[in-house]
Amino acid sequence: MSEPRDGTDIGFPLSAIVGQDQLRLALILCAVHPGIGGVLVRGEKGTAKSTAVRALAQLLPPVLDDPADGAVARAPRPARLVELPVGATEDRVVGSLDLEKVLRDGERAFQPGLLAAAHQGVLYVDEVNLLHDHLVDVLLDAAAMGRVHIERDGVSYSHPAKFVLVGTMNPEEGELRPQLLDRFGLAVDVMASREVDTRVEVIRRRLAYEADPVAFARDYADADAELARRIVRARAHCAAVDLPGRELRRIAALCAAFDVDGMRADLVVARAATAHAAWRGVREVTEQDVRVAAEMALPHRRRRDPFDEPGLDADDLDQAMEEAAREADREPEPDPDPEPGPGGGGADEPGEQSAGDGPADQTGDGPDADEPAAAPQTAPTGAQAPEQQAPEPSTSEPSAPDGPTPGEGTGAGKGPGRTIELPGRPFRTRLLQIPGIGEGAPGRRSRARSTRGRSVRPTLEPGHGLHLVGTLFAAAEHQVARGRHGGRMMLAPNDLRGAVREGREGNLVVFLVDASGSMAARDRLTAVAGAVVSLLRDAYQRRDKVAVISMRGADAEVLLPPTSSVEIAVRRLATMRTGGRTPLAQGFLKAREMVLRERVRDPRRRALVVTLTDGRATGGPDPVVRARTAATLLAESGAASVVIDCEVSMIRLGLAAEMARALRGECLQLAELSAQQVADVVRAAA
């Protein structure tokens, strides 16, 4: 947590940031109306994301109450900037039982966490996409309700937590799930300007700040002071701003036009438009305020699928605003007749449409989290009509006639062959799982020791939380020696037992794709592409790191090094060239090299290699023997394997199954990947 700003910490002034006007406005609107729900700042490295957040904290008005001690401060204190580290535990965030006071004084006492310290200040989470999903849920719940309620370890505690929540992230390092994206009030995409004059001014101001921070801050003190005064005035004026019915209809029509889920978007746009009107100093929300709010509240809510491109096209927004203007001018329809019509009820009967938040609140942490429901289909946008969407991919071999031979085609990319054609609608796959219990990063694929989940046994080590039953059993055998004769149990520090918990982990999933001529013939790779994209979607939902290796010609090529961004993986897959021989041995060796290299970087993350091939090893002397030898080396590296058999001949040779045995893994037919067709769970052999 950052120390309170007392004048000795000279931060970069908010008014001195060059460009990034939308970022500054989003931060200011959330400072004016914290009920908006925070800002998610997405962008590349070095775009002043963190600088702007820290600069905002210096402009917030002083606060009086401090929920950490439950008292009213004697003098106003500066608003705090609380920085939440990615590795923070849930106890550190929401607070925990004060065990020292419990054991020393025999009293139940609660020690507040970072959410209490951030009250009436700024809670800043850098790399929020790398934060554990359950912690993101906690933060967003607190930001939405303005209070934190804790019911744990026999203690009931509640305190206010009204803060400006700001999360920053680099999309290349992985995306937030759409359900979590929806719960951020506003989202802003930032990037460095490509204008030379703007970049020169950025360099000039930064160098001047580094040379003399005090003098630089003095130059912008008046501008920052005016910003601070405007924030205070807008806060006081916000409750008095009128939101007329015409603008309410405009907001509802606009959100309906973009087909966003639930009602959260409507509420956020209304609050942001009200805050913008207060920031402008006017008494009534107008179309201008609604448009500004929509530009920041709707883009990230349109992204229902991990492969959807983020953002909001200006032409689409203009068209939606025109349609919303016509709806706003329309007189509201009178209430329907409460008496049912001849058909026993009309379309306007209550219960026909829910006003709740819908599937956006489903975080996937329930008891059925191991089998996520099929992702909703992406709605057509812009000029894309429903009939133009890609057809449903098949999980088996398509019956198309033979396609062009290797070397034909004019697809994108370099080299001979043609590019793979990606389907538009992936299916829900079976769960591919690594056996045993790991200790990797939190996720939703394989079993692992974790900081949360069910408690399986006590331990003398600190563990993750208190194992109450184990602690009581450990203390019970010493009660006579400690002189207890009835009454309260006597505890000692060495009685404490930590809890060993079991949850789920995310894995490194390496997709080894056979892109040779035998696979490209008869467009077999269309079905394979559908399987890979579906598996990538599954990896996104389960918080895995993914990598893609292509096998064709004389060697294997790493299309995508390990990353958390499956969006980039799909783009790389679309540029994959096909044709040529099948270098299975090179592919297995390349996968082994990647697994061993990643194990050095992240020793606890286990690897699962998913090979999609027909098993026909060709090219070079003894290709089959070399492939089996390389497969054995990959198995000895400790990576689990699953082979997806893509062979479709009337007489099956079973070559893929032989490779699976060499890999000491499971072999599945391509059609067996669909969770709808096969209900049981596939476990990869160690």
Side-chain angles (χ1 to χ4, degrees):
M1 183 182 74
S2 296
E3 295 296 326
R5 309 283 179 174
D6 57 4
T8 60
D9 183 6
I10 307 298
F12 197 91
L14 185 64
S15 58
I17 295 178
V18 180
Q20 310 299 7
D21 295 334
Q22 191 178 51
L23 170 58
R24 289 191 293 180
L25 180 58
L27 294 173
I28 288 172
L29 292 184
C30 284
V32 171
H33 194 330
I36 290 174
V39 184
L40 176 65
V41 187
R42 306 170 74 256
E44 56 195 16
K45 301 177 289 293
T47 50
K49 300 189 297 291
S50 302
T51 301
V53 176
R54 295 186 173 95
L56 174 70
Q58 300 178 125
L59 303 183
L60 296 182
V63 299
L64 292 175
D65 56 329
D66 189 350
D69 55 18
V72 176
R74 297 180 180 178
R77 62 167 175 82
R80 293 193 183 103
L81 170 65
V82 177
E83 299 188 33
L84 181 66
V86 172
T89 63
E90 186 174 357
D91 289 347
R92 184 70 182 101
V93 174
V94 301
S96 61
L97 192 67
D98 191 336
L99 291 178
E100 182 179 353
K101 195 167 185 178
V102 170
L103 297 178
R104 185 186 64 221
D105 304 330
E107 299 178 4
R108 293 180 181 178
F110 191 81
Q111 187 174 22
L114 296 177
L115 294 180
H119 180 54
Q120 296 194 1
V122 177
L123 181 61
Y124 173 47
V125 187
D126 193 16
E127 306 294 351
V128 66
N129 53 324
L130 304 182
L131 194 66
H132 300 171
D133 283 351
H134 73 283
L135 290 183
V136 179
D137 284 330
V138 168
L139 297 180
L140 295 173
D141 282 339
M145 294 187 299
R147 294 194 67 85
V148 177
H149 300 278
I150 301 101
E151 300 286 346
R152 59 190 306 172
D153 299 325
V155 174
S156 178
Y157 189 82
S158 176
H159 65 77
K162 297 180 180 180
F163 49 80
V164 179
L165 175 64
V166 183
T168 59
M169 59 174 285
N170 185 348
E172 294 182 358
E173 297 174 348
E175 289 283 359
L176 281 171
R177 291 183 288 121
Q179 293 86 347
L180 296 179
L181 279 174
D182 175 71
R183 300 184 67 183
F184 272 98
L186 309 178
V188 178
D189 288 309
V190 296
M191 61 181 64
S193 174
R194 299 302 185 257
E195 295 291 333
V196 174
D197 291 341
T198 302
R199 298 176 76 96
V200 168
E201 186 62 23
V202 170
I203 298 171
R204 180 181 293 116
R205 293 191 185 186
R206 188 66 196 185
L207 293 178
Y209 169 75
E210 293 174 355
D212 192 343
V214 175
F216 186 84
R218 189 186 307 120
D219 292 340
Y220 291 91
D222 291 341
D224 263 16
E226 177 58 24
L227 284 177
R229 285 191 293 268
R230 287 190 63 185
I231 290 175
V232 172
R233 286 198 303 266
R235 276 188 172 186
H237 181 57
C238 193
V241 173
D242 180 43
L243 181 59
R246 184 175 186 275
E247 298 308 319
L248 275 176
R249 293 185 65 82
R250 189 193 307 276
I251 292 171
L254 192 60
C255 293
F258 283 110
D259 198 25
V260 296
D261 290 331
M263 296 297 297
R264 183 175 285 119
D266 305 62
L267 294 172
V268 170
V269 173
R271 291 167 183 155
T274 302
H276 189 259
W279 174 248
R280 293 195 300 121
V282 299
R283 296 186 176 182
E284 185 176 279
V285 173
T286 65
E287 181 181 356
Q288 172 190 351
D289 303 310
V290 174
R291 183 185 179 93
V292 170
E295 288 175 346
M296 295 183 285
L298 295 183
H300 61 297
R301 290 185 166 84
R302 298 184 64 199
R303 191 174 197 200
R304 303 181 179 184
D305 191 272
F307 309 140
D308 292 344
E309 289 291 337
L312 191 66
D313 185 74
D315 294 336
D316 291 345
L317 180 58
D318 290 338
Q319 181 180 354
M321 288 295 293
E322 292 176 3
E323 296 174 358
R326 291 192 291 270
E327 182 65 34
D329 293 334
R330 186 179 306 166
E331 291 293 332
E333 297 181 2
D335 293 336
D337 190 347
E339 296 183 3
D348 292 331
E349 280 190 84
E352 188 110 342
Q353 181 178 358
S354 173
D357 287 335
D361 281 336
Q362 297 174 8
T363 59
D365 292 330
D368 297 327
D370 289 338
E371 288 295 333
Q377 301 301 330
T378 304
T381 59
Q384 183 183 12
E387 61 270 14
Q388 293 174 313
Q389 292 182 0
E392 182 81 11
S394 171
T395 57
S396 59
E397 170 67 16
S399 57
D402 289 351
T405 58
E408 294 183 358
T410 58
K414 298 180 179 180
R418 58 189 177 117
T419 55
I420 190 170
E421 181 180 351
L422 296 183
R425 294 178 182 172
F427 54 86
R428 186 165 67 92
T429 66
R430 296 171 63 170
L431 172 61
L432 304 181
Q433 198 174 23
I434 298 178
I437 300 177
E439 297 181 350
R444 298 175 56 203
R445 181 171 298 278
S446 306
R447 295 171 58 196
R449 301 281 186 258
S450 67
T451 58
R452 62 193 303 264
R454 63 188 183 93
S455 177
V456 293
R457 62 180 175 84
T459 176
L460 291 173
E461 303 298 325
H464 301 293
L466 177 68
H467 196 287
L468 183 58
V469 175
T471 299
L472 294 177
F473 281 154
E477 59 187 64
H478 301 292
Q479 297 305 297
V480 175
R482 294 173 183 170
R484 178 191 174 195
H485 300 287
R488 183 178 301 175
M489 177 174 284
M490 303 176 68
L491 297 177
N494 57 2
D495 295 331
L496 294 179
R497 296 294 184 269
V500 176
R501 299 183 179 276
E502 184 176 300
R504 295 282 173 177
E505 68 176 359
N507 301 123
L508 169 64
V509 183
V510 180
F511 295 98
L512 195 56
V513 183
D514 184 351
S516 63
S518 62
M519 291 287 291
R522 301 176 60 196
D523 286 338
R524 188 183 308 173
L525 274 179
T526 301
V528 173
V532 175
V533 172
S534 300
L535 289 167
L536 283 170
R537 182 197 298 270
D538 182 69
Y540 167 84
Q541 294 172 332
R542 300 188 186 280
R543 315 306 288 168
D544 295 318
K545 291 182 70 174
V546 297
V548 180
I549 299 176
S550 167
M551 299 180 292
R552 62 177 291 267
D555 201 359
E557 177 187 4
V558 178
L559 293 181
L560 180 70
T563 178
S564 297
S565 177
V566 296
E567 176 187 350
I568 298 177
V570 173
R571 290 205 301 262
R572 298 287 178 86
L573 185 66
T575 62
M576 183 176 70
R577 308 295 299 180
T578 66
R581 298 184 180 276
T582 310
L584 279 182
Q586 287 81 352
F588 293 144
L589 292 176
K590 188 78 73 175
R592 176 179 180 271
E593 176 185 348
M594 178 179 291
V595 168
L596 295 177
R597 183 173 61 248
E598 287 300 308
R599 186 170 297 160
V600 174
R601 297 177 180 175
D602 190 354
R604 297 190 302 171
R605 189 181 289 271
R606 296 189 291 170
L608 172 65
V609 179
V610 180
T611 305
L612 296 98
T613 182
D614 58 6
R616 299 174 184 266
T618 58
D622 298 326
V624 176
V625 175
R626 294 179 61 212
R628 289 174 182 168
T629 302
T632 302
L633 292 175
L634 176 57
E636 291 175 351
S637 72
S641 289
V642 173
V643 177
I644 310 300
D645 187 357
C646 303
E647 187 179 23
V648 294
S649 304
M650 293 295 295
I651 301 177
R652 293 184 176 272
L653 301 179
L655 300 178
E658 293 182 11
M659 293 301 167
R661 286 191 289 272
L663 290 167
R664 303 171 193 172
E666 185 76 14
C667 183
L668 299 175
Q669 297 298 316
L670 187 60
E672 294 178 343
L673 270 182
S674 172
Q676 287 85 354
Q677 295 181 14
V678 184
D680 62 330
V681 173
V682 178
R683 295 183 179 273

